[in-house]
Amino acid sequence: KILPILLFAYGLALTTNDIYDNSYALIIGISEYDAINPNQSYLNLNYGASDAEAIQNLLISQFNFPAKNTILLINEEATKHNIIQSFSDIIKKAKRNDRVLIYFAMHGMTLDMPDGGELGYLIPVDGEIDDLYMTSIAMSELKNIALMSKAKHILYLADACYGGIASFSSR
């Protein structure tokens, strides 16, 4: 009686390799905003960079993400340009049977709209609170990136003080 149960369980035991062809990650962590913007009024974050490094190690050691497919941007590396460039690189590489994980540990902020509602932004190390639109990454941009990607699954993880309206429908 146990043999059929074991065979059934074995048949259901899938590995990551059975589900995905490849895995990609963009991991961003900012602890030291004043390294680039000493005049901005951001508080430095205690664990942004170290959390990002821990996530990268976890993805590689426990979740079979190839080290060559993980991009880590911490502190002064986490500029808006570098983040957008890294998104672009992953979008070009990820295929239909791949997975993508994007992790943010940084400040977030919302911009109140004149007629009500708000727009959420993730603030890179060179972001300016007086010009969020030009210097930060709109939460709506994350939806656009998901729509442009061929990847089977994209998971966004945001550890931000307040990243604004982050929910959007699946593609």
Side-chain angles (χ1 to χ4, degrees):
K1 291 183 178 184
I2 292 181
L3 183 60
I5 293 171
L6 289 175
L7 290 173
F8 178 73
Y10 178 76
L12 293 179
L14 296 175
T15 66
T16 303
N17 292 334
D18 296 324
I19 300 169
Y20 302 110
D21 292 337
N22 218 331
S23 301
Y24 298 91
L26 172 58
I27 305 148
I28 305 156
I30 304 171
S31 295
E32 301 170 9
Y33 275 89
D34 58 7
I36 286 188
N37 270 339
N39 297 324
Q40 291 296 311
S41 60
Y42 303 121
L43 294 174
N44 285 330
L45 301 172
N46 291 330
Y47 305 106
S50 60
D51 285 355
E53 291 169 334
I55 291 290
Q56 181 186 37
N57 291 333
L58 182 70
L59 292 175
I60 293 168
S61 66
Q62 300 294 316
F63 294 99
N64 300 320
F65 277 72
K68 66 180 177 141
N69 291 352
T70 64
I71 300 168
L72 177 66
L73 300 175
I74 58 171
N75 293 325
E76 68 276 355
E77 300 167 337
T79 63
K80 181 179 180 182
H81 173 79
N82 287 348
I83 293 169
I84 298 298
Q85 182 65 57
S86 298
F87 273 132
S88 178
D89 293 345
I90 287 175
I91 288 170
K92 291 174 189 172
K93 292 177 186 175
K95 304 296 183 224
R96 293 213 176 274
N97 208 35
D98 295 343
R99 66 179 169 171
V100 174
L101 183 137
I102 312 294
Y103 175 82
F104 300 96
M106 58 178 41
H107 278 297
M109 190 171 214
T110 58
L111 181 64
D112 292 328
M113 302 304 293
D115 293 332
E118 51 192 24
L119 294 176
Y121 289 89
L122 293 169
I123 304 174
V125 73
D126 56 343
E128 297 177 17
I129 57 174
D130 295 334
D131 196 2
L132 290 174
Y133 178 74
M134 290 300 294
T135 65
S136 298
I137 299 167
M139 296 301 285
S140 60
E141 188 64 18
L142 301 182
K143 177 180 179 180
N144 293 338
I145 291 163
L147 293 172
M148 288 188 283
S149 178
K150 295 176 185 174
K152 183 176 193 174
H153 294 125
I154 298 176
L155 175 63
Y156 291 100
L157 301 172
D159 180 1
C161 300
Y162 185 60
I165 303 167
S167 62
F168 46 80
S169 62
S170 69
R171 59 186 174 115

